[in-house]
Amino acid sequence: MIDERRLREAGAVLAAESARFASMGWMRGTSGNLSLTLDRDPLRLAVTASGFDKSELAPEHVVLVDGKGDLLPGDTRGLIPSAEAGLHARIAAVTGAGAAVHVHAMAAVEAGFHWPEGVAISDMEMLKGIGHSAHGERVVIPVVQNSQDMVELGDRFEAVYRRPAGGIAEVPAIIVASHGMYAWGEDVAAARRHTEITEWLLRFTVRTRAR
C-alpha cells in the first residue's frame, strides 16, 4: 500500500533539490533524476518520474519503486519511473544510501572521457568534503561504461565500488561514461554535498590536465 502523504513529502524534498541542480545547468530539460530511500525491508524508494522538466518538478512528480526500480502497484496516476530507477535502487541496496543524485554535469562527462579507467585526485582541500584527507591520499573516482540495461549498469557499479573497513566507499560517487555522474549519501544533504564537491573536483581536474 502506498502512503501518499509520505510520498508527497518526499516529492517536495526532491523537487527542491531538482530545482537547485537545474539552476546549475546539471539537469537540463528532463535529464537527471533523484531518489530518497523510504524503507529498507523491503527496499522502497521515492524516485523522480520520467519526462518532467527538472527545473519545474512538482511534489507529485515522484513515484514509489521497489528494490529493482519497478513501479509499485497501486499508483493510478500514469507516471513512469525514471529509466534509471533500477540503478538508484542498486546504489541504495549496496551502499546503504538514504538519497542519490544523478546529474549530467559536463565536468563528469569530460573527466570520464579523458580518464576512462578512473579519475585520480590528490592534494586538494575539497577532498575533505567526500571523506578524505586534503593531503597524503590518492582518491580515484570510478568510471564505468554506460548501458541502457540497469541490471548490467548496476553490476558495473558494484564491481568498482570500494568496501574498506568501516563500510565507507572510497568516494560516494561514480561517473558513467558519456553520460554523467551519480553521487549518494546518508541523507539528502549529504548526497547534495557529495554531488557538488565531486563536480568541483572533476572540473578542476579537467581544467588543469596536461595538454
Side-chain angles (χ1 to χ4, degrees), residues 22 50 68 82 88 102 132 181 205:
S50 179
K68 294 182 179 180
S82 164
H88 280 265
H102 169 48
H132 289 273
M181 64 174 277
T205 303

Side-chain angles (χ1 to χ4, degrees), residues 157-180:
F157 151 71
E158 195 164 352
V160 298
Y161 180 71
R162 309 294 201 271
R163 296 185 184 85
I168 301 173
E170 182 177 340
V171 290
I174 189 169
I175 296 170
V176 179
S178 303
H179 187 64

Side-chain angles (χ1 to χ4, degrees), residues 123-185:
D123 298 325
M124 295 295 296
E125 191 74 19
M126 289 284 272
L127 284 170
K128 292 178 180 179
I130 56 173
H132 289 273
S133 299
H135 302 286
E137 284 188 86
R138 180 179 181 271
V139 176
V140 177
I141 300 173
V143 178
V144 297
Q145 292 303 304
N146 195 14
S147 174
Q148 300 307 304
D149 183 328
M150 290 304 107
V151 173
E152 182 177 33
L153 189 55
D155 289 345
R156 292 174 182 172
F157 151 71
E158 195 164 352
V160 298
Y161 180 71
R162 309 294 201 271
R163 296 185 184 85
I168 301 173
E170 182 177 340
V171 290
I174 189 169
I175 296 170
V176 179
S178 303
H179 187 64
M181 64 174 277
Y182 287 79
W184 54 88

